[in-house]
Amino acid sequence: MKRDFITEYDLTTKEMAGIFRLTAELKKSKSRFSNHLKNKTVGLVFQKPSLRTRVSFEVGIRQLGGNCIYLGPDEINLGKRESTADVAQVLSRYLDVIVARVFSHQDVVGLAKHATIPVINGLCDLYHPCQAMTDVYSVLEKFGTLKNKTLAYIGDGNNVCHSLMLVCAKMGLNMTIATPVNYEPNEEILETARQLAHETGVSISVSHDPKRAVEGAHVIYSDVWVSMGQEDETQKRLKDFEGFQINGDLTSRANRNYIFMHCLPAHRGQEVTADVIDSKHSIIFDQAENRLHVQKAILMFLLDQKTKVKIRTKK
């Protein structure tokens, strides 16, 4: 039976932990699994431009010995030039995995429903699961543990926020969220995350007070205020997000050994000041690199769930 990775609901806590262990092994040695995707071809179906998602997947696929085909907006116009169901079934005859970076969540759901091969959500309007898996792995890598740690997310309750809530909840990382009024995360996703957090003994809280959210936090996380496709809302958003900038005053309230994270691209002077994002606390480029390793582990998991790599991790 094929497995997809559309949202964090598709993986158990145990499977996430296994992917993290595999990630650590992949990061240690680029050559150990260099033939794992031999004779396999992965298609990148992208409705929007990308730097990190495209490059990290293409490089990762080749490092695993596979082939990659990029299909941009001009090649496939899901649901318009051709139905999503037809595209999914045609690509299933040619490819071994589909990675989809789309606008609507329903597009990636439709691909997964009709494809007979694994589908990975490279980003949609509701979720960014590969990013969130990478983020929590990066926290684990830096601190050696997630226990008694808190991630403070300051900004828009968007797709990154949604996925972070779910991975944090499943993996046992406390999360505090501060958004402007009317920019809170989706209520249904938030409630699910809180239920999952209860099972792992952590908390997910939401407020409109960034100072309260970062108090004692070990991780401060920011994202852009204006995402791709929201350009017509730029002036309104810049006004609404006043007071939510990550700056020296805000970070002074966090744990003295805090780390700063951003999924990039970043706008210095808007959501974060240059002195914070370029400081010794910032791990944004380690975080970006880890997309490569985490996504390789996800590909291996979906294509070969019998892969077992025993790795000792710090408690």
Side-chain angles (χ1 to χ4, degrees), residues 78-79 82-92 110-111 113-115:
L78 287 175
E82 194 169 358
S83 74
T84 301
D86 286 357
V87 169
Q89 292 179 79
V90 168
L91 291 180
S92 294
L111 283 171
K113 178 181 178 181
H114 296 284

Side-chain angles (χ1 to χ4, degrees), residues 11 14 54-55 64 79 86 112 125-126 140 177 197 206 291 299:
L11 298 175
K14 184 177 180 181
R54 178 177 177 179
V55 176
L64 293 174
D86 286 357
D125 58 348
L126 278 182
L140 178 62
I177 301 163
V206 179
R291 284 286 296 275
L299 282 164

